[in-house]
Amino acid sequence: SPKHEREMIAVYTMKGGYPEDASFRSAHLAKKTAAALQQLFGMSVAAAIGPDGSDVMHIADSYESAKASINGVDLLKLNGTVVAGAAGKTGGGESHSIMSRMPLIRGALDAGNFNHARNMLSDFTKQMQASGGFTLGEADRILHEFVLLLS
């Protein structure tokens, strides 16, 4: 995707056949691609599949549905690769934010106290782990918050 780093978009087309067959084939291809990326590069891969559409005008809706599905993937439970369907689970648990800690982290970094800043970030990650769930969408939001506040 030219708009988002670490994002690949694939549009699978199939002429003829049954809609269920297209869903099965697209899920199979996504799993195969994710497994190949893991094997070749040793990376954990999360993939999502949007609902089928018979018209090119439905591609954007399918993308948004897949994006919502993948944002609900729990990173604490991600083990290897995962392929979520259009009805993927979305995180509804506690929302984590680093915003309230940023003045303290920034103060520690400005003072050159890197161990204190590292300890605050470590406490934050322990809190996320203790909450029982941390979605890809939350991770993306926190990363953006962190980069924005540090700049």
Side-chain angles (χ1 to χ4, degrees):
S1 170
K3 290 185 177 183
H4 302 284
E5 262 183 49
R6 304 166 317 198
E7 178 182 78
M8 290 190 291
I9 302 169
V11 177
Y12 177 69
T13 61
M14 187 177 107
K15 203 170 200 173
Y18 298 102
E20 298 82 20
D21 192 32
S23 295
F24 175 78
R25 286 185 181 191
S26 59
H28 176 72
L29 286 172
K31 289 176 184 175
K32 201 170 168 182
T33 302
L37 288 169
Q38 183 182 27
Q39 184 181 16
L40 289 171
F41 302 110
M43 58 174 49
S44 293
V45 177
I49 300 169
D52 298 338
S54 59
D55 187 348
V56 73
M57 299 306 288
H58 296 145
I59 291 175
D61 293 336
S62 182
Y63 169 79
E64 290 301 326
S65 178
K67 188 174 177 179
S69 180
I70 204 164
N71 279 337
V73 170
D74 190 347
L75 295 175
L76 298 178
K77 294 180 179 116
L78 183 61
N79 193 6
T81 63
V82 65
V83 176
K89 203 170 93 174
T90 57
E94 178 184 342
S95 181
H96 308 282
S97 178
I98 199 162
M99 298 286 260
S100 62
R101 292 174 175 82
M102 280 313 296
L104 296 171
I105 294 170
R106 184 175 264 167
L109 292 174
D110 287 344
N113 194 344
F114 301 115
N115 284 332
H116 186 56
R118 186 183 351 236
N119 288 338
M120 283 188 276
L121 288 172
S122 178
D123 289 343
F124 180 68
T125 57
K126 286 176 187 172
Q127 252 184 357
M128 287 186 296
Q129 289 173 337
S131 73
F134 183 62
T135 66
L136 186 61
E138 286 178 305
D140 195 40
R141 181 184 46 79
I142 288 171
L143 179 63
H144 281 63
E145 284 177 4
F146 193 68
V147 168
L148 179 71
L149 291 170
L150 284 180
S151 4

